[in-house]
């Protein structure tokens, strides 16, 4: 039996003074756009531009002073029934959260916080967004101790209400999934991204006044390359093609490098464990996150893959939970794994894996036909508008109006493929919904953990006899589109029967 953590002092306490530097940097970050805008406005005014230097120091001092005031006026108290946080400089605000309302406590460390050994403690209440309670910053050891104290008192409060069993011996943590550096390299290659190129282009556009010429003037580029690039044009078309291939290869290299860097920063040291408190996930190179997801709060699973990942046998798994994961409703628990590696994770959460031998059903054919016809009508309307505009101006050939009509054909084919591959089914415990064709996603939800089942019909759907079934999840959304109305009613009746047969507050 694990020994309870020593409770922190019950009196009012403040966060760590070292965190003042991090708060000041955070406040200064908000002032940087204003300083940059001032420099842009005064860049042609020499004396006025020099005044921006002392003003920047004044703003820095003001940021430090405001951070000190916020730190001095923020106190917290760990009571016997709740945790209380008081904050505010001019007007005071006090927030008290009972332990039974706290779903879990997560710890987050940014790069500077790791240097100083500090953590930001987040209390997950299920409210999401700005309503979540957090303390920034505490010592790492104090954050760990506070998390254990809150968990134990929350469990004691639940036990007093008869919602949990008495404390039993806690088994050792079991590692369900982890990613070694070699796996991260493979993952990063599939995370190809040209975000760096887009950011660089945006920076050039914003700060083009610092460059010796206009980077968006094509004629000026031709003039500058006329001398140095004359030898390349003299080598013939082959050399030009080789140069184009080198440029494209460089772009690909940048995309792969960006994916690798982003993957290593986000998922370095990725580890998922099954503990007595739930699923514990740790990851991050610069910003380290430590999140625990109680197993009974996992409402659904999301299995996903991509166009290329599926061909190489790679898949991802997310938990849809009541708690938040960096603002998102889904928690990455195995972002890059083989299919057989996902099975123990799903079973530990109380779910069964989706298999091909289930009684899968397709959406109604009428729904896909109507979707294809609607896409054709939209393309036809665009083609007609283009034809009228070209005929009136005579700027180009009216044959260009055929381009939107040509696009309508692959859109119609896309609806046919979706009809073939998108499916849904229901068994005694779970709801399954498969979406997409090239990049497939399969949602698996527990019937007793769904909150609602709603049938929606538009004007066309009412006349054609199909509907969309919306299933309520506190942490996300699940919809089965375009199914026959009778089928939607059958599913809704079966799901509502499961929902009403179980008290959700007692699921543990």
């Amino acid at each position: 039996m694990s020994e309870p953590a020593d409770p922190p002092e019950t009196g009012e306490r403040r966060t760590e003074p070292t965190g003042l530097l991090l708060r000041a940097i955070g406040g200064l970050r908000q002032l940087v756009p204003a300083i940059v805008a001032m420099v842009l406005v005064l860049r042609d005014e020499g004396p006025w531009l020099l005044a921006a230097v002392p003003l920047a120091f004044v703003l820095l001092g003001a940021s430090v002073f405001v951070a000190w005031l916020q730190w001095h006026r923020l106190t917290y108290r760990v009571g016997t029934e709740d945790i209380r946080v008081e904050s505010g400089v001019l007007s005071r605000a006090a927030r008290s959260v009972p332990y039974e309302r706290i779903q879990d406590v997560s710890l987050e460390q940014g790069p500077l916080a790791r240097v100083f050994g500090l953590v930001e403690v987040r209390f997950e209440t299920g409210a999401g967004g700005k309503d979540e309670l957090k303390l920034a910053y505490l010592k790492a050891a104090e954050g760990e101790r506070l998390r254990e104290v809150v968990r134990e008192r929350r469990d004691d409060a639940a036990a007093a209400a008869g919602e949990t069993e008495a404390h039993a011996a806690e088994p050792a943590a079991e590692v369900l999934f982890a990613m070694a550096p070699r796996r991260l390299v493979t993952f990063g290659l599939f995370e190809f991204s040209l975000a760096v190129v887009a950011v660089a282009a945006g920076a050039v556009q914003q700060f083009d006044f610092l460059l010796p010429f206009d980077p968006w003037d094509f004629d000026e580029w031709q003039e500058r390359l006329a001398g140095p690039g004359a030898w390349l044009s003299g080598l013939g078309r082959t050399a030009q093609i080789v140069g184009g291939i080198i440029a494209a290869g460089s772009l690909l290299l940048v995309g792969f490098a960006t994916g690798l860097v982003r993957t290593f920063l986000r998922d370095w040291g990725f580890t998922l464990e099954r503990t007595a408190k739930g699923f514990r996930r740790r990851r991050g190179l610069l910003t380290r996150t430590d999140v625990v997801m109680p197993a009974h709060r996992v409402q659904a699973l999301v299995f996903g893959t991509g166009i290329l990942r599926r061909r190489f046998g790679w898949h991802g798994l997310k938990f849809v939970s009541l708690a938040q994961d960096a603002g998102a409703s889904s928690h990455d628990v195995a972002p890059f794994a083989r299919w057989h590696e996902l099975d123990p994770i799903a079973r530990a959460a109380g779910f069964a894996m989706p298999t091909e031998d289930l009684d899968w059903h397709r959406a109604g054919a009428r729904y896909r036909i109507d979707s294809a016809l609607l896409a054709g009508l939209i393309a036809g309307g665009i083609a007609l508008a283009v034809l009228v505009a070209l005929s009136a101006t005579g700027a180009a050939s009216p044959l260009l109006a055929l381009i939107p009509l040509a696009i309508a054909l692959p859109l119609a084919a896309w609806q046919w493929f979706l009809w073939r591959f998108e499916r849904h089914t229901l068994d005694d415990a779970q709801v399954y919904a498969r979406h997409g064709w090239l990049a497939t996603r399969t949602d698996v939800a527990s019937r007793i953990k769904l909150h609602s089942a709603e049938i929606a019909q538009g004007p066309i759907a009412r006349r054609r006899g199909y509907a969309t079934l919306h299933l309520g999840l506190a942490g996300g959304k699940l919809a089965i589109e375009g199914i026959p109305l009778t089928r939607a009613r059958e599913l809704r009746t079966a799901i509502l029967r499961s929902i009403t047969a179980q008290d959700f507050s007692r699921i543990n």
Side-chain angles (χ1 to χ4, degrees), residues 40 57 75 114 123 143 167 246 305 314 324 354 392 405 411 436 452 459:
L40 293 178
F57 282 101
T75 59
R114 295 183 70 180
F123 302 90
H167 290 293
I246 294 175
T305 186
W314 295 106
Q324 297 288 310
L405 293 178
L411 290 178
S452 62

Side-chain angles (χ1 to χ4, degrees), residues 11-144:
E12 288 189 351
R13 305 190 66 188
R14 291 189 175 92
T15 56
E16 287 297 319
T18 318
L20 279 172
L21 177 61
L22 279 69
R23 287 179 174 271
I25 293 176
L28 185 61
R29 241 186 336 222
Q30 300 176 358
L31 297 175
V32 167
I35 296 175
V36 172
M38 182 178 60
V39 172
L40 293 178
V41 172
L42 302 176
R43 63 179 183 269
D44 295 328
E45 305 292 337
W48 288 103
L49 184 59
L50 292 176
V53 176
L55 182 59
F57 282 101
V58 171
L59 292 177
L60 176 60
S63 177
V64 173
F65 179 70
V66 171
W68 180 84
L69 279 179
Q70 291 175 342
W71 169 81
H72 184 70
R73 299 289 288 170
L74 187 146
T75 59
Y76 69 95
R77 179 193 296 269
V78 180
T80 56
E81 297 181 354
D82 61 4
I83 183 168
R84 182 184 180 89
V85 177
E86 296 187 11
S87 61
V89 178
L90 299 179
S91 60
R92 298 288 287 169
R95 185 177 180 187
S96 176
V97 180
Y99 293 120
E100 62 267 20
R101 298 292 297 173
I102 299 176
Q103 297 179 8
D104 200 60
V105 184
S106 61
L107 307 179
E108 182 173 327
Q109 283 184 299
L112 287 177
R114 295 183 70 180
V115 172
F116 291 100
L118 304 177
V119 295
E120 183 178 70
V121 184
R122 295 177 179 268
F123 302 90
E124 304 287 351
T125 62
K130 296 181 179 180
D131 292 331
E132 297 290 1
L133 188 66
K134 64 179 181 180
L135 291 174
Y137 294 87
L138 302 179
K139 289 290 186 182
E142 179 65 16
E144 287 278 1

Side-chain angles (χ1 to χ4, degrees), residues 240-324:
Q240 296 176 3
I241 294 175
V242 171
I245 294 175
I246 294 175
S250 302
L251 197 62
L252 290 174
L253 184 62
V254 170
F256 283 121
T258 303
L260 284 169
V261 171
R262 185 174 62 178
T263 301
F264 270 77
L265 291 178
R266 181 190 60 210
D267 293 320
W268 177 263
F270 190 104
T271 305
L272 178 71
E273 297 176 328
R274 181 66 165 95
T275 69
K277 303 296 183 181
F279 296 93
R280 183 181 186 184
R281 190 206 65 196
R282 287 170 289 179
R283 67 173 178 177
L285 182 60
L286 298 180
T287 300
R288 187 74 173 170
T289 59
D290 187 344
V291 180
V292 176
M293 300 158 276
H296 65 279
R297 294 188 179 274
V298 179
Q299 296 181 293
L301 308 182
V302 179
F303 299 87
T305 186
I307 301 174
L308 294 177
R309 297 184 193 189
R310 183 175 62 176
R311 299 187 66 86
F312 288 92
W314 295 106
H315 302 268
L317 175 60
K318 295 181 179 181
F319 283 169
V320 179
S321 173
L322 293 173
Q324 297 288 310

Side-chain angles (χ1 to χ4, degrees), residues 455 457 483-494:
I455 295 177
Q457 285 183 290
I483 57 178
L485 183 58
T486 55
R487 172 70 177 171
R489 289 172 176 169
E490 291 174 1
L491 294 177
R492 181 179 64 176
T493 301

Side-chain angles (χ1 to χ4, degrees), residues 232-486:
L232 180 62
S233 60
L235 294 179
R237 186 167 300 276
T238 302
Q240 296 176 3
I241 294 175
V242 171
I245 294 175
I246 294 175
S250 302
L251 197 62
L252 290 174
L253 184 62
V254 170
F256 283 121
T258 303
L260 284 169
V261 171
R262 185 174 62 178
T263 301
F264 270 77
L265 291 178
R266 181 190 60 210
D267 293 320
W268 177 263
F270 190 104
T271 305
L272 178 71
E273 297 176 328
R274 181 66 165 95
T275 69
K277 303 296 183 181
F279 296 93
R280 183 181 186 184
R281 190 206 65 196
R282 287 170 289 179
R283 67 173 178 177
L285 182 60
L286 298 180
T287 300
R288 187 74 173 170
T289 59
D290 187 344
V291 180
V292 176
M293 300 158 276
H296 65 279
R297 294 188 179 274
V298 179
Q299 296 181 293
L301 308 182
V302 179
F303 299 87
T305 186
I307 301 174
L308 294 177
R309 297 184 193 189
R310 183 175 62 176
R311 299 187 66 86
F312 288 92
W314 295 106
H315 302 268
L317 175 60
K318 295 181 179 181
F319 283 169
V320 179
S321 173
L322 293 173
Q324 297 288 310
D325 183 19
S329 59
S330 299
H331 298 256
D332 276 312
V333 292
F336 195 70
R338 298 295 186 184
W339 186 254
H340 69 273
E341 295 176 326
L342 304 181
D343 181 63
I345 303 175
R347 285 190 288 104
F351 287 80
M353 296 280 286
T355 58
E356 293 301 325
D357 58 356
L358 293 171
D359 184 22
W360 292 99
H361 293 259
R362 293 190 177 99
R366 292 182 177 181
Y367 169 68
R368 292 301 175 192
I369 292 173
D370 293 347
S371 298
L373 291 176
L374 183 61
L377 288 175
I378 294 175
I382 295 175
L384 181 60
V386 172
L387 179 61
V388 171
L390 293 177
S391 300
T393 59
S397 173
L399 294 177
L400 292 177
L402 298 176
I403 295 178
L405 293 178
I407 297 176
L409 295 177
L411 290 178
W414 178 255
Q415 292 297 326
W416 180 77
F417 278 108
L418 290 179
W419 176 79
R420 284 196 58 194
F421 291 97
E422 286 196 346
R423 303 179 181 184
H424 69 276
T425 190
L426 185 76
D427 63 16
D428 294 336
Q430 299 175 168
V431 182
Y432 305 82
R434 182 171 295 170
H435 308 275
W437 166 45
L438 296 176
T440 60
R441 188 185 88 248
T442 304
D443 299 331
V444 181
S446 171
R447 287 173 56 167
I448 63 174
K449 294 183 180 180
L450 292 171
H451 290 185
S452 62
E454 175 189 356
I455 295 177
Q457 285 183 290
I460 299 176
R462 286 200 300 270
R463 295 185 62 87
R464 299 281 284 169
Y466 56 83
T468 296
L469 180 63
H470 295 280
L471 303 176
L473 290 170
K477 297 180 180 179
L478 177 58
I480 303 176
E481 299 178 338
I483 57 178
L485 183 58
T486 55

